[in-house]
Amino acid sequence: MCGIVGYIGDKQAAPILLDGLSKLEYRGYDSAGIAVFDGSRIIMEKVMGRLKVLDELTEGGKTMPGISGIGHTRWATHGSPSDTNAHPHFNKEHSIVVVHNGIIENYSKLKKKLERKGYEFVSETDTEVLVHLLTEYYDGNPVAAIEKVMRRVEGSYALGIMFKDHPHHIYAARKDSPLIVGQSSMGNLIASDVPAILKYTRSVYYMENEEIVCLSKENIRFYNIDGEALVKEPVTIDWDIDAAEKGGYEHFMLKEIYEQPKAVRDTISPRLKNGEVVIEELGMTDEEIRHTRKIIIIACGSAYHAGVTGKYILEGMARIPVEVDLASEFRYRNPIYEEGTLAIIISQSGETADSLAALREARNHGVRVLGIVNVVGSSIAREADNVMYTWAGPEISVATTKAYSAQLAALYLLAMKFAKVRETITQEEFAELQKDLEKIPEQIEQLLGMKEKIQRFANRYLAADHMFFIGRGIDYAISLEGSLKLKEISYIHSEAYAAGELKHGTISLVEEGTLVVALATQEKVYSKTISNIVEVKTRGAFVMAVTNEGHEEIEKTADYVIYIPKTNAYFANSLAIIPLQLFAYYVSLGRGLDVDKPRNLAKSVTVE
Ligand code: F6R
C-alpha cells in the first residue's frame, strides 16, 4: 500500500528513487511519481500506471538531474487513480512538495478552511491539504512547520517533504504508517520498507509515531513533535537482498511457496530444545500460562485464517477458550475483557492498521498482548508486550504463503507449550506431537513435488466463474485460506463454507460442473464430510478432495483426489494448504494475470 522513497547524497537521486520504488512495487499501487531538486528548482514527474511508464518517461531517471529527491507509488484511497492524484503534490509556488502514505481523516474540514484562505486544490486527494498546510505554517523553519501540521491533522501518515529554500535537506515524519531511515556512505535515505534501500545500506533507523527527521548528505537529525532533538540507535538488517529478489522463479509467489519448508523449519527449530518447547520471548511464567483464562486471537485476512486454525488447536490441545476476531471488527465491538485474558495479534507485516489499532485497544484495557509477527521492528512488534517472530524472511508477493505457514507453525508451538504447562496432554502425546511437528518441513517439500499434477488440474478450471471450498473444523479453516488464495489472484469468485452449513442456503448455487474443493483431513469428521461431498455431487458438482494418505476409498466419491502425508490432525493445515496455494498460483498464471500484484490489493494494509 503506497510506497515512499527519499534520497539525498552524492549520486543522482532520480535513478535511486526509481530503483527504490521498484522494490516497493509488491505493496500494490496504481500510479507513481518523483520530485527532485535540480539545482535551482524542484522538478516533478508523475503518471498513472506502472512504474515502468515513469521509468520510460524519465529515461531511467536520467532526464531529472539533482542529488536529492522523494518518490512515491500510490494506492488510491481518496480520489481515483490518475496523473493528477498521483504523488508528489506541489504547493502553488512549487516551493514545497510532499509524498504521503496513509489517510488524513479530517481532510475535508481542513480543505474547507484552506479554501476559505484562498488555497486552490488541484487534486482529489487528502494529501493535498498537507502541502497547503505546510505552506500556511512555513516561515523559514521546516521542522517547526511540520510540527504544526502534525498537530492539525488526524489520521495516519508517513511523509516525505522537500522545501525549495532548503535544497540540502529532505524531511520526513510519521504516525501510524511505517517509515525507515537508512544511513549510507553515499548519502541518506528514507523508505517505507527495507528492500527499497537494502542495496545501499544495512544500517536502518525505525521511526516512531510523531517523530520528524531531517536528512542531509552527511547527517540525520530526529525530532519529536515538540521539536526536541532525539537520540536514536540504528539497527543492522541481517538478511540479504537476494531474499527479496525472485532468484530465478517466474514469480515471487512461486518462490515463496517453495521457501515454505525453510520458513517453517526456521520458525520451529530454535524453539524446540531438548524435547521441550522453549519460547523465551513469550515472557510468561508457567504460573501465568496456567492462569490464562481466555485467549483472543485478532488478525486480518490470511493471518485471521491462521488464527481460526489456532482456535481449534489451542482449545483442543490446551483446553483454553479461544475467541478469534477480525481486527476491523474487534476494534469497534466493545469486547468484554476478563482478567487472565491474553490477546494474540497475528500479522506478517506488523503494520496492518486494523491489527495495530486492535492491539492498542486491548492494551488500553490492561490486556497482555503477544504479537506473532514476521517483520522485525515493525509497529506491532514494537508495541506488543511480547513478540514471537515468525522467521519466514521478507515476503514480497501480495498473496501470502510462507508467512501464513510460519504463523501456523508458531501457533502449533504455542499450543504445545500451553498444553504441556497446563498438563492437558500427556508426555507421550507431547513427544508424538513434537515428532510430527519436526517432520512438517520435509512433508511440505514432498507435496511441492506434485506441482505439475496441480498445474494440469488448474488448467482445466481457467474459465470457471465460481468455486466452493468446504470442510469441517480445521478443514474449514483450511478452506477459508484456500478460497482466499484462489480469489485474490485469479479473480474467480470463490466461497469457503463449513461443510455442514452449505445445505442451509448456499448449496442452491451448486450446479452441473461447479468445482467444489473438499477438505477431508480430520478423521473425527471424515465420514460427515464425505456425506457433504455426496450432497454436492448429487447437484452436479465436480469434487476435488484433499485427504490423508490411506483414504483411497474416497476415489469412489470424489472426482479428483490429492493425498497429504500422515501427520497429527492438528497439523494438517500446514500440508493441505500447499496444493491449494499451487492451485491458486497456476489458475492465475493460466489466466495470464499479474500473480504477484493482483488488482486492487496492497501487501501492507496501512489504512483502515
Ligand atoms: C492474503 C493476504 C492478506 C493478509 C492481511 C493481513 O494473501 O496476504 O489477507 O494476510 O492483509 O496482513 P498482515 O499479516 O500483514 O497483517
Side-chain angles (χ1 to χ4, degrees):
M1 188 159 275
C2 301
I4 287 180
V5 181
Y7 169 74
I8 182 157
D10 319 313
K11 307 263 185 268
Q12 194 190 349
I16 294 174
L17 299 175
L18 289 169
D19 176 62
L21 291 177
S22 74
K23 302 290 189 306
L24 298 178
E25 279 191 287
Y26 72 90
R27 296 167 70 88
Y29 70 103
D30 42 57
S31 54
I34 54 177
V36 297
F37 183 75
D38 76 351
S40 59
R41 67 206 165 111
I42 301 172
I43 53 171
M44 176 174 81
E45 291 289 358
K46 54 181 187 171
V47 282
M48 187 175 136
R50 290 284 168 213
L51 198 56
K52 91 171 185 311
V53 185
L54 183 66
D55 197 75
E56 279 162 19
L57 185 75
T58 62
E59 294 173 24
K62 283 203 211 91
T63 61
M64 297 181 78
I67 53 170
S68 62
I70 51 179
H72 190 264
T73 44
R74 172 175 188 253
W75 188 84
T77 54
H78 292 65
S80 54
S82 70
D83 290 357
T84 313
N85 289 335
H87 298 211
H89 289 281
F90 261 137
N91 62 355
K92 191 168 163 209
E93 299 74 26
H94 288 201
S95 58
I96 301 177
V97 70
V98 172
V99 291
H100 164 223
N101 291 355
I103 289 183
I104 304 303
E105 286 166 3
N106 58 341
Y107 89 100
S108 67
K109 205 164 87 192
L110 293 170
K111 183 174 174 180
K112 276 190 204 120
K113 286 191 181 161
L114 286 160
E115 277 172 337
R116 279 202 292 274
K117 289 189 168 215
Y119 288 94
E120 279 168 36
F121 284 73
V122 292
S123 77
E124 303 159 305
T125 65
D126 52 335
T127 302
E128 213 185 327
V129 298
L130 294 167
V131 74
H132 296 316
L133 270 182
L134 281 165
T135 310
E136 176 73 11
Y137 290 133
Y138 181 62
D139 61 2
N141 180 344
V143 172
I146 296 169
E147 275 169 38
K148 286 186 185 140
V149 172
M150 287 164 79
R151 290 186 195 284
R152 287 295 301 279
V153 298
E154 290 161 18
S156 60
Y157 50 82
L159 303 175
I161 310 166
M162 290 169 75
F163 293 81
K164 187 174 157 225
D165 26 331
H166 289 263
H168 304 300
H169 296 102
I170 60 173
Y171 297 84
R174 84 152 256 181
K175 180 175 166 272
D176 292 342
S177 200
L179 199 65
I180 56 165
V181 177
Q183 185 175 40
S184 92
S185 54
M186 50 160 265
N188 294 315
L189 303 111
I190 56 168
S192 302
D193 199 0
V194 175
I197 59 172
L198 201 51
K199 191 162 158 187
Y200 313 106
T201 182
R202 290 181 172 278
S203 178
V204 161
Y205 296 89
Y206 286 94
M207 286 189 70
E208 300 287 345
N209 271 347
E210 303 200 320
E211 286 183 357
I212 303 167
V213 66
C214 166
L215 283 73
S216 67
K217 200 163 109 178
E218 297 91 8
N219 292 310
I220 299 173
R221 295 208 169 87
F222 292 98
Y223 303 91
N224 64 16
I225 195 168
D226 297 320
E228 293 158 351
L230 299 172
V231 179
K232 288 173 76 80
E233 289 302 318
V235 294
T236 305
I237 303 298
D238 59 5
W239 47 271
D240 219 56
I241 191 69
D242 295 351
E245 302 279 354
K246 276 191 217 153
Y249 286 88
E250 199 177 339
H251 293 101
F252 280 111
M253 182 174 176
L254 191 61
K255 174 179 177 248
E256 288 161 6
I257 287 174
Y258 270 78
E259 284 172 347
Q260 290 182 106
K262 178 168 166 22
V264 173
R265 197 175 285 122
D266 289 353
T267 302
I268 292 172
S269 347
R271 289 153 176 150
L272 279 184
K273 290 181 189 150
N274 310 321
E276 293 297 328
V277 173
V278 182
I279 316 176
E280 275 150 18
E281 63 274 39
L282 188 59
M284 290 175 83
T285 61
D286 284 1
E287 204 49 23
E288 285 168 329
I289 291 176
R290 271 192 287 272
H291 285 105
T292 303
R293 304 243 297 264
K294 183 169 94 176
I295 293 178
I296 312 180
I297 302 180
I298 309 157
C300 304
S302 296
Y304 168 77
H305 298 158
V308 176
T309 306
K311 173 182 166 70
Y312 287 110
I313 297 171
L314 278 155
E315 285 190 341
M317 246 191 240
R319 308 304 299 148
I320 303 182
V322 180
E323 279 174 30
V324 203
D325 211 345
L326 295 162
S328 53
E329 289 297 310
F330 177 86
R331 64 183 291 191
Y332 296 117
R333 87 167 150 93
N334 195 14
I336 297 163
Y337 298 99
E338 295 162 46
E339 222 185 297
T341 299
L342 170 70
I344 302 178
I345 310 277
I346 308 176
S347 176
Q348 186 286 127
S349 63
E351 300 293 350
T352 302
D354 283 321
S355 304
L356 185 58
L359 175 153
R360 290 177 184 157
E361 169 71 20
R363 287 204 73 210
N364 286 342
H365 286 85
V367 173
R368 173 187 211 125
V369 174
L370 170 70
I372 296 184
V373 177
N374 196 45
V375 176
V376 176
S378 55
S379 300
I380 293 175
R382 292 201 308 270
E383 291 193 30
D385 293 291
N386 298 91
V387 55
M388 183 175 177
Y389 281 112
T390 47
W391 297 116
E395 191 178 62
I396 307 296
S397 174
V398 165
T400 182
T401 51
K402 62 173 180 170
Y404 169 79
S405 285
Q407 287 161 357
L408 292 176
L411 288 162
Y412 301 158
L413 288 163
L414 211 57
M416 284 169 67
K417 172 84 190 167
F418 271 64
K420 182 81 187 297
V421 172
R422 293 163 70 95
E423 297 176 11
T424 50
I425 52 173
T426 62
Q427 185 53 42
E428 292 68 40
E429 285 168 329
F430 182 84
E432 282 303 309
L433 282 165
Q434 186 175 336
K435 250 199 323 213
D436 283 340
L437 187 64
E438 283 176 311
K439 274 195 236 152
I440 293 175
E442 100 198 33
Q443 291 176 321
I444 295 178
E445 254 151 43
Q446 195 183 325
L447 284 159
L448 290 171
M450 62 165 69
K451 90 177 203 311
E452 278 83 17
K453 179 179 168 182
I454 305 275
Q455 183 170 18
R456 278 195 299 277
F457 183 73
N459 284 341
R460 288 161 58 179
Y461 281 91
L462 303 183
D465 289 329
H466 71 137
M467 295 185 193
F468 287 95
F469 288 71
I470 60 169
R472 288 168 176 260
I474 288 176
D475 283 335
Y476 170 54
I478 306 171
S479 302
L480 288 170
E481 179 58 9
S483 170
L484 177 63
K485 266 321 62 105
L486 178 82
K487 67 186 140 197
E488 68 180 325
I489 59 169
S490 75
Y491 315 152
I492 294 173
H493 172 249
S494 151
E495 277 192 56
Y497 249 78
E501 181 64 14
L502 205 60
K503 57 181 156 305
H504 296 286
T506 309
I507 203 164
S508 65
L509 291 171
V510 174
E511 55 190 358
E512 199 59 40
T514 304
L515 178 64
V516 175
V517 179
L519 279 301
T521 71
Q522 301 295 299
E523 296 298 338
K524 255 186 3 203
V525 286
Y526 177 77
S527 60
K528 306 284 172 202
T529 306
I530 295 293
S531 307
N532 299 132
I533 295 177
V534 173
E535 283 162 12
V536 292
K537 286 270 321 156
T538 316
R539 272 90 189 165
F542 186 93
V543 174
M544 165 168 122
V546 181
T547 190
N548 307 325
E549 279 170 1
H551 270 310
E552 283 70 18
E553 78 290 340
I554 202 171
E555 290 178 27
K556 288 193 215 120
T557 317
D559 301 285
Y560 190 85
V561 184
I562 289 173
Y563 295 99
I564 62 162
K566 282 216 158 58
T567 186
N568 188 290
Y570 286 127
F571 304 152
N573 192 341
S574 290
L575 305 184
I577 198 62
I578 306 298
L580 304 189
Q581 292 169 341
L582 287 168
F583 178 66
Y585 172 78
Y586 283 116
V587 172
S588 176
L589 187 73
R591 285 165 72 104
L593 301 172
D594 193 345
V595 177
D596 285 332
K597 296 190 278 291
R599 68 183 179 204
N600 305 338
L601 294 180
K603 180 68 181 162
S604 184
V605 185
T606 50
V607 295
E608 66 167 299

